[in-house]
Structures are given as C-alpha cells and as structure tokens.
Amino acid sequence: MAAAGLAVNAYVHADLADAYDLVSENISQGTLFRIEAALGSLAALLVLVWHRLISDLFAWCVAAGGLALLLVYRYVDVGTLGPFPNMYEPLWYTEKSVAAIAQAVAVLATVFLLVTHHWRRGRGAHAGLGNRRRRRAGGS
C-alpha cells in the first residue's frame, strides 16, 4: 500500500508538472512537481525492493512531507519563499484530491512498516535460522 500510494502521487505530480511550469520565481512549481514525482518513484521502488529501516523512513518522509506541503499550500497563503514560488492554491480538484489521498495512504502504510520493522526483521531472521537447523539435521 505504501508503494502504491507513493506511485500514484508520483504519477499525479509528473502529469501536472507541465501545467505548473509558468508558476515560477527562480524555481518553477513544475520543477518542484517533477522532484516530488522522482522522490515518490524512488521511495516506492525502495519500499518494494530494499526492505530496510532507512528506506521505510525515506518513504515516510516523502509521503508525510508531500502531504504536509499540499495541505499548507491549500489552506495558507505562504507567499514566495526564497527561490520558491507562491504555490497557494485554495481549490480542491480531482488530481489534488487523488494526490492527497494517495499520500495519506502512503503515510499510514509507512507508519505501519516503521512500527512493525523490528518484528518483520526478527521474523525473517528466525525463519532463516530454522531453515539452517533443518538442513544440518538432514531435514528438508
């Protein structure tokens, strides 16, 4: 679920990036959307193929950070911050709603991964130990 939420969020941001290229200071909002899409894609891939605490933490940071920024720029007119454009957009539209739901799902799923990390890791280690014991004893 974490990877799916991150992947959906990445797709939405990549799809919308061109439409936001004109919202710009030094860095355009389109560029920021492409960075979000790249980070989301990387986080989804890591969650799927590299089962480590650091990849789960990275995925949580991408999902939680993206959701926090989406909500802040939806409800607060922050203005221009350094090289970043004013991204205040007080409307909900389909793509923004899909991104918010996908990020919320990813946050919840990565929290689950983080909370169960020790248990999942321990279970895998014990399973491997059991297999080694059976092989030594001549079992299958």
Side-chain angles (χ1 to χ4, degrees):
M1 288 189 61
L6 289 159
V8 167
N9 180 59
Y11 172 80
V12 169
H13 278 84
D15 187 52
L16 291 174
D18 289 342
Y20 286 90
D21 279 335
L22 297 178
V23 181
S24 179
E25 278 300 310
N26 292 334
I27 300 173
S28 77
Q29 189 171 347
T31 298
L32 294 173
F33 275 25
R34 287 180 189 90
I35 291 169
E36 172 71 14
L39 290 173
S41 298
L42 177 60
L45 182 65
L46 289 174
V47 164
L48 287 174
V49 300
W50 198 51
H51 304 284
R52 302 287 188 274
L53 180 61
I54 192 72
S55 61
D56 295 345
L57 282 170
F58 176 71
W60 180 85
C61 288
V62 170
L67 181 59
L69 287 172
L70 185 147
L71 293 173
V72 165
Y73 282 112
R74 163 55 181 89
Y75 293 107
V76 180
D77 188 355
V78 176
T80 301
L81 294 173
F84 302 110
N86 183 1
M87 296 188 288
Y88 177 63
E89 190 173 43
L91 305 170
W92 283 107
Y93 50 91
T94 303
E95 292 89 348
K96 186 186 278 190
S97 298
V98 168
I101 291 167
Q103 287 172 325
V105 166
V107 167
L108 293 174
T110 54
V111 165
F112 176 80
L113 290 175
L114 292 168
V115 168
T116 62
H117 177 77
H118 182 70
W119 176 80
R120 288 181 295 124
R121 185 176 174 102
R123 183 174 176 175
H126 294 304
L129 181 60
N131 288 337
R132 278 187 258 134
R133 285 183 183 159
R134 272 184 264 151
R135 274 188 245 130
R136 284 187 200 150
S140 54

